[in-house]
Amino acid sequence: MEKNTDRSAQPEETAKKLNLTKSRTGIQQMFDEVAPTYDFLNHLLSLGIDNYWRAAATARAKKLTEKTPAPSILDVATGTGDLAAAMGKIPGATVTALDLSPQMLAIARKKYPGITFHEGYAEALPFKDASFDIVSAGFGVRNFEDLEKGMQEFHRVLKPGGSALIIEPMIPRAAILKKLYLIYFKKVLPKIAGLFSKSTFAYDYLPHSVEQFPQAEAFTAILKKAGFSAAEYRPMTFETSILYIARK
């Protein structure tokens, strides 16, 4: 992985390279660097709508577990723990969370001391088969080094009848919205991020990762290939975000 000096020289080219390789070491380094401003920029750049997206996923998880007295929930690629904390508001829920970035986890543990956080990665989840009623992931699946292996692991650790709930950014399919979205994503967003963060690399990487990620039917096909019996998706906020629901 290129050192930070190389990133400064050609951040967009380096971001494109990381997007192609999805090097686990590179992804970890990127999130370690952006951790101090991650929460602030997430809320700013999404105009606070990211809170609604997490609430929508949590509401669906609550409905799916309404007949389960004490649902066990695993949040993967938890970042600073906001989705895990939202899931923790489900009555009786026990939440475990995992991320590969030590710096993100350090912030998460301070914010949410009641949640158990583990350092690790999706392709080798350190949990037994059939351990959880829900596996969630908010805006992290597209960063997995091996997407199919990660989805197989989600399936493995879910109990029979359990569900995976995955939120990802979505590129709108309507031509005008798509054009405006990509202008904001590629031109405006990195410049705003640069005003508040010394590490703008992540915001050069972001639009490339969203463009490359299999969207809608393409991703539900990957979920079914991983073993899920059913998979669907629900676009949110003018197709700028998407919630995937997969049933074991």
Side-chain angles (χ1 to χ4, degrees):
M1 181 62 195
E2 289 84 351
K3 295 180 180 180
N4 293 345
T5 52
D6 296 329
R7 287 183 176 183
S8 300
Q10 294 180 323
E12 187 170 358
E13 289 305 312
T14 309
K16 287 180 180 178
K17 183 177 179 181
L18 179 58
N19 187 53
L20 291 173
T21 65
K22 289 294 194 294
S23 158
R24 190 174 298 127
T25 301
I27 295 291
Q28 177 185 325
Q29 181 184 6
M30 178 179 70
F31 280 108
D32 279 345
E33 289 178 358
V34 79
T37 55
Y38 182 79
D39 283 341
F40 171 74
L41 283 174
N42 260 8
H43 301 323
L44 175 66
L45 297 173
S46 71
L47 304 178
I49 303 173
D50 59 314
N51 292 312
Y52 163 74
W53 296 331
R54 281 186 285 270
T58 302
R60 188 59 185 262
K62 183 178 180 181
K63 185 175 181 180
L64 288 168
T65 58
E66 59 187 358
K67 295 182 180 179
T68 305
S72 54
I73 299 173
L74 171 64
D75 187 49
V76 180
T78 194
T80 60
D82 286 352
L83 181 56
M87 292 288 177
K89 295 177 182 179
I90 296 173
T94 300
V95 180
T96 304
L98 176 142
D99 199 272
L100 55 67
S101 165
Q103 295 303 317
M104 297 287 268
L105 287 171
I107 294 171
R109 289 180 177 117
K110 289 180 181 179
K111 288 169 64 179
Y112 306 115
I115 295 174
T116 301
F117 292 97
H118 297 267
E119 185 176 336
Y121 55 93
E123 295 90 342
L125 294 174
F127 307 106
K128 295 180 180 179
D129 296 357
S131 296
F132 299 97
D133 298 292
I134 296 286
V135 175
S136 62
F139 312 105
V141 165
R142 71 185 182 283
N143 302 315
F144 291 177
E145 189 172 75
D146 187 331
L147 179 59
E148 290 190 9
K149 178 61 176 174
M151 294 306 94
Q152 290 166 7
E153 281 289 276
F154 278 29
H155 183 270
R156 179 184 66 79
V157 301
L158 277 168
K159 298 176 183 178
S163 297
L165 296 168
I166 297 165
I167 314 169
E168 281 296 326
M170 182 179 184
I171 297 176
R173 291 171 288 193
I176 295 176
L177 282 176
K178 180 178 180 179
K179 183 176 181 180
L180 292 172
Y181 180 87
L182 289 176
I183 289 172
Y184 173 73
F185 229 25
K186 291 183 174 182
K187 304 296 182 183
V188 179
L189 185 149
K191 287 183 171 59
I192 296 175
L195 297 174
F196 300 97
S197 175
K198 295 179 180 179
S199 177
T200 60
F201 173 77
Y203 300 96
D204 287 308
Y205 165 86
L206 175 61
H208 296 298
S209 69
V210 175
E211 279 190 299
Q212 182 185 337
F213 189 75
Q215 181 167 288
E217 291 87 356
F219 185 53
T220 56
I222 290 173
L223 289 165
K224 291 176 182 177
K225 184 179 178 181
F228 288 95
S229 61
E232 61 179 297
Y233 63 89
R234 297 193 173 188
M236 301 183 288
T237 318
F238 306 106
E239 295 193 337
T240 57
S241 184
I242 186 167
L243 174 63
Y244 296 95
I245 307 105
R247 190 83 167 178
K248 180 172 180 178

